[in-house]
Amino acid sequence: MKRTLLVPLIALSAIACTSVRTATPDSPSPTVSATQPALTASDARTFVDQANEQLTRTYEKAGRAAWVAANFITYDTQQISAAADQEATTLAVSLAKEAARFDDVQADASTRRQLNLLKQGLVAPSPADESKAEELAQIKAKMEATYGEGKYCRPGQTGDDCLDIGEITKVFAESRDPAQLADVWAGWRTISIPMKPLYSRFVELVNEGSQQLGYEDTGALWRSKYDMPPDQFAAEMDRLWFQVKPLYDSLHCYVRAELNETYGNSVVPLNQPIRADLLGNIWAQDWGNIYEMVAPPDADPGYDLSERLKEKNLSAEEMVKIGERFFTSLGFDPLPSTFWERSLFVKPRDREVVCHASAWDVDNVEDLRIKMCIEPTAEDFRTIHHELGHSFYQRAYNKEPLIFRDSANDGFHEALGDTIALSVTPDYLKQIGLIDQVPDTSKDLGLLMRDALESIAFLPFGLLVDKWRWSVFSGETTPNEYNRKWWELRTRYQGIRPPVARSESQFDPGAKYHIPGNTPYSRYFLARILQFQFHRALCDTAGYQGPLNRCSIYGNEAAGQKLRAMMEMGVSRPWPDALEALTGQREMDATAIIDYFAPLKTWLDQQNRGRQCGW
């Protein structure tokens, strides 16, 4: 399950599986005339203090409106939430442009960081020209509406006969018919064709807005939030990728050979990239749905957690209580009573709600909640641990100024939640009484394969989405080569190819929500890297010895102290400081992934002997 920030502003009101649409209205930023006195460090401090006060009030209002809209879905609640979100977005844009006025002021370190964060919190800055700002808002709304309304209608089909994204997703998960998959794959990508001219103009407008904030282009603005020069961050992403690439290459080689066994040489040649429609996912970003086709022999781990949860007859609240006890075992205080009073754990019978799992900090202080429609399944059990990771992180940094109430970089929050989920191991399940016996390590291959099809298969996709966008924002990739450059990257990094011919009349990047929705994607790549680095460091702190995939930090207060030291910083310090507090390292390091999946890598290489790998 991929998670993005629900409120893509500076503070986290919710961490969720979907992104809320935000408009970007604006008016020209104030300017300082030659007759006005020069701005001072004192002016800068006063400005950020007032910004924190304004943001605290406005974000709480937006958070409460969004909570009601997600839990009572009506036209009116959506309108109320949209208005509150619009107000918060307008404030964020206004403050970002005000912050730019202090670029040449010699402010203290904390004030300077807050000023920078105010500017860097924007992902689609509008131009100062009012007519262009309105045009940008209209384009954003049009692209998102086009995506949201997208359906594939075969010739002669209309209305209910057409396939929406949910139905198409199900086809990819279940179908093993190459002709059907190719048809639906190409059909979904017809929805993005009208977006291409809109996206081209969108790029021009947001680049103008970014340049007015002092950035070379919008890609440079996005990369600037990582406490290093933009070009250095791009190189850092490549460095991390090359650390993990050998594992991906082994997985790719094995999966291609197994698909060849099913489909034959005409569909899956052993010396070419894999057809993108055969990997179980509409974007080929996650290969988990083809697990049954590629699972190792005797992959049964020896227990079925979903069955055990049902046998125990645990309620949704009892499952969350188990998750809370994980954190209290590390030395964290229990969640406030309001968490249990205000969270949503079960889908109501009397109304529709947004069931996507999410963690909310409604007032950005102590009003913590989670919202999910919990079922007694292994997936939901792990998701509870993940979401509570967000909740405890949100509370840990709530003493910081509002602008600093976020994770050290945008990969840390997701990584923290996923780190906790990695501790849901057989040993942990035995400790809390959910299984009776811990299976021996020979049973781990199936679990590792399933994890790799989700985590490792995702990494190159998580890298290339923003690589493509950065090249578009910089002008390196022009509109008449959008599709060609997209597929060059997908083939180079993922080793996949389209099942049917593509041309510049299509706009395949737009068939992924995060492109028309303008949601930065590097955070997901970083989260996958960081979760394993966090996990290894915490296991070392706990004194664990053994296979990394078997480690759980449950009950270890020393590991909890390390976590707290990192979490309490929020984004008040550069992320290398927060990383060092937890791991002792100041660089992100993907070798922990290699350590975690070492047993699977050994097995994959054995299976791949004599095969032609690569593409």
Side-chain angles (χ1 to χ4, degrees):
M1 184 180 297
K2 311 302 180 298
R3 299 172 176 82
T4 65
L5 301 183
L6 180 65
V7 182
L9 303 174
I10 298 157
L12 290 173
S13 293
I15 312 278
C17 299
T18 56
S19 299
V20 164
R21 300 167 187 170
T22 59
T24 311
D26 232 293
S27 57
S29 58
T31 58
V32 181
S33 74
T35 60
Q36 289 178 309
L39 294 168
T40 67
S42 177
D43 293 330
R45 285 192 296 273
T46 299
F47 168 71
V48 297
D49 288 344
Q50 292 174 345
N52 277 300
E53 293 176 5
Q54 290 177 284
L55 290 168
T56 297
R57 294 192 299 270
T58 305
Y59 284 0
E60 180 175 354
K61 178 180 177 181
R64 296 195 185 284
W67 176 266
V68 172
N71 286 278
F72 299 87
I73 301 175
T74 69
Y75 172 81
D76 291 314
T77 60
Q78 296 301 308
Q79 291 301 306
I80 292 169
S81 179
D85 181 70
Q86 174 78 18
E87 181 182 347
T89 303
T90 300
L91 175 61
V93 172
S94 174
L95 291 174
K97 293 186 174 181
E98 284 285 320
R101 296 174 57 206
F102 296 91
D103 283 350
D104 297 326
V105 174
Q106 296 298 313
D108 63 86
S110 176
T111 300
R112 171 52 56 199
R113 185 164 182 81
Q114 291 181 72
L115 290 167
N116 288 341
L117 288 170
L118 284 169
K119 293 192 300 178
Q120 295 160 359
L122 299 178
V123 296
S126 56
D129 182 281
E130 192 169 340
S131 63
K132 290 182 178 179
E134 176 62 25
E135 181 186 4
L136 176 60
Q138 293 298 323
I139 288 174
K140 287 176 61 182
K142 178 64 174 177
M143 288 195 298
E144 292 203 41
T146 300
Y147 186 93
E149 296 165 357
K151 291 186 177 183
Y152 170 41
C153 301
R154 295 186 177 91
Q157 289 183 331
T158 57
D160 292 341
D161 294 329
C162 301
L163 300 178
D164 63 23
I165 191 170
E167 293 162 323
I168 289 174
T169 298
K170 186 175 181 181
V171 169
F172 280 100
E174 299 176 357
S175 176
R176 301 295 180 255
D177 178 350
Q180 181 190 26
L181 290 168
D183 174 68
V184 174
W185 184 95
W188 172 249
R189 283 154 179 80
T190 61
I191 72 155
S192 55
I193 293 173
M195 296 180 196
K196 185 175 180 180
L198 294 171
Y199 193 77
S200 175
R201 179 58 177 160
F202 167 83
V203 169
E204 294 174 357
L205 293 170
V206 295
N207 272 347
E208 184 174 335
S210 296
Q211 288 158 2
Q212 290 170 359
L213 289 174
Y215 297 93
E216 188 173 345
D217 57 58
T218 304
L221 167 63
W222 289 7
R223 297 192 301 277
S224 70
K225 67 170 58 178
Y226 294 100
D227 297 303
M228 60 177 67
D231 289 346
Q232 185 180 338
F233 176 71
E236 180 71 357
M237 295 280 281
D238 283 333
R239 181 185 68 81
L240 294 168
W241 164 243
F242 283 112
Q243 284 185 309
V244 78
K245 185 177 183 296
L247 176 57
Y248 179 82
D249 289 346
S250 294
L251 180 67
H252 180 281
C253 188
Y254 171 78
V255 167
R256 181 172 63 185
E258 294 300 299
L259 293 177
N260 174 271
E261 290 289 325
T262 299
Y263 293 116
N265 290 326
S266 62
V267 176
V268 186
L270 291 173
N271 60 351
Q272 294 184 22
I274 302 171
R275 266 179 47 173
D277 58 325
L278 303 179
L279 291 164
N281 177 271
I282 187 172
W283 305 286
Q285 69 179 52
D286 174 341
W287 304 351
N289 285 324
I290 63 168
Y291 173 76
E292 299 302 330
M293 301 176 70
V294 303
D298 304 319
D300 181 3
Y303 64 90
D304 185 327
L305 179 55
S306 295
E307 288 302 316
R308 294 294 292 169
L309 290 167
K310 292 171 186 173
E311 289 170 10
K312 293 284 187 180
N313 197 31
L314 293 173
S315 69
E317 183 170 329
E318 287 170 331
M319 290 172 65
V320 180
K321 286 284 188 182
I322 292 173
E324 182 193 39
R325 286 196 291 273
F326 187 103
F327 289 90
T328 57
S329 83
L330 301 178
F332 289 89
D333 291 336
L335 292 162
S337 59
T338 53
F339 173 87
W340 304 101
E341 297 164 3
R342 299 170 184 173
S343 290
L344 179 85
F345 301 142
V346 179
K347 188 178 189 306
R349 295 181 180 179
D350 62 342
R351 66 184 191 274
E352 292 298 318
V353 301
V354 178
C355 276
H356 290 298
S358 52
W360 296 64
D361 185 4
V362 176
D363 65 354
N364 291 296
V365 183
E366 189 76 2
D367 193 351
L368 306 167
R369 313 176 189 184
I370 66 171
K371 176 184 60 57
M372 60 184 293
C373 303
I374 297 171
E375 298 289 341
T377 65
E379 180 180 2
D380 279 7
F381 186 74
R382 291 186 176 88
T383 298
I384 287 167
H385 286 69
H386 174 102
E387 298 301 337
L388 290 178
H390 293 311
S391 297
F392 281 89
Y393 201 167
Q394 289 164 333
R395 184 170 64 179
Y397 53 61
N398 70 8
K399 301 294 191 297
E400 293 289 341
L402 191 284
I403 295 171
F404 286 154
R405 292 178 202 172
D406 200 344
S407 58
N409 70 35
D410 57 7
F412 271 62
H413 237 299
E414 291 302 324
L416 191 283
D418 284 334
T419 298
I420 300 305
L422 289 177
S423 277
V424 181
T425 63
D427 294 281
Y428 168 61
L429 298 175
K430 172 70 162 54
Q431 283 181 275
I432 63 175
L434 282 179
I435 63 175
D436 301 320
Q437 185 175 355
V438 176
D440 65 69
T441 55
S442 66
K443 297 293 187 179
D444 289 355
L445 277 178
L447 295 173
L448 287 169
M449 176 64 79
R450 190 182 295 276
D451 288 346
L453 292 172
E454 296 177 356
S455 297
I456 306 306
F458 172 78
L459 284 170
F461 186 80
L463 178 71
L464 69 85
V465 172
D466 277 353
K467 273 188 170 290
W468 179 84
R469 272 193 292 207
W470 296 342
S471 72
V472 169
F473 288 136
S474 72
E476 178 186 349
T477 294
T478 59
N480 62 1
E481 54 186 1
Y482 278 172
N483 233 33
R484 178 175 66 82
K485 289 295 185 69
W486 174 255
W487 281 105
E488 283 181 0
L489 288 170
R490 300 208 68 183
T491 300
R492 181 193 315 164
Y493 286 98
Q494 286 186 278
I496 66 171
R497 59 187 174 91
V500 296
R502 312 308 288 158
S503 72
E504 290 305 325
S505 65
Q506 284 105 18
F507 182 52
D508 293 343
K512 172 67 176 171
Y513 167 76
H514 297 71
I515 300 297
N518 197 49
T519 303
Y521 215 73
S522 297
R523 65 183 64 156
Y524 306 115
F525 175 84
L526 296 178
R528 294 298 172 92
I529 301 295
L530 287 167
Q531 74 178 94
F532 292 97
Q533 186 175 1
F534 291 175
H535 181 64
R536 182 173 64 182
L538 291 169
C539 291
D540 288 344
T541 298
Y544 173 80
Q545 295 182 344
L548 189 55
N549 63 290
R550 280 294 183 108
C551 170
S552 177
I553 61 170
Y554 177 69
N556 192 280
E557 292 197 7
Q561 290 171 0
K562 286 275 192 178
L563 269 177
R564 188 180 297 105
M566 181 272 285
M567 293 159 66
E568 288 176 348
M569 290 183 185
V571 70
S572 66
R573 304 272 295 278
W575 66 260
D577 292 352
L579 183 65
E580 185 176 29
L582 178 59
T583 69
Q585 299 174 276
R586 293 188 63 80
E587 282 193 338
M588 292 180 280
D589 183 6
T591 62
I593 296 178
I594 304 303
D595 290 349
Y596 187 91
F597 287 99
L600 179 65
K601 177 69 161 64
T602 298
W603 184 84
L604 288 171
D605 289 345
Q606 291 171 348
Q607 307 308 305
N608 289 334
R609 285 176 184 166
R611 290 173 176 164
Q612 179 181 343
C613 295
W615 55 90

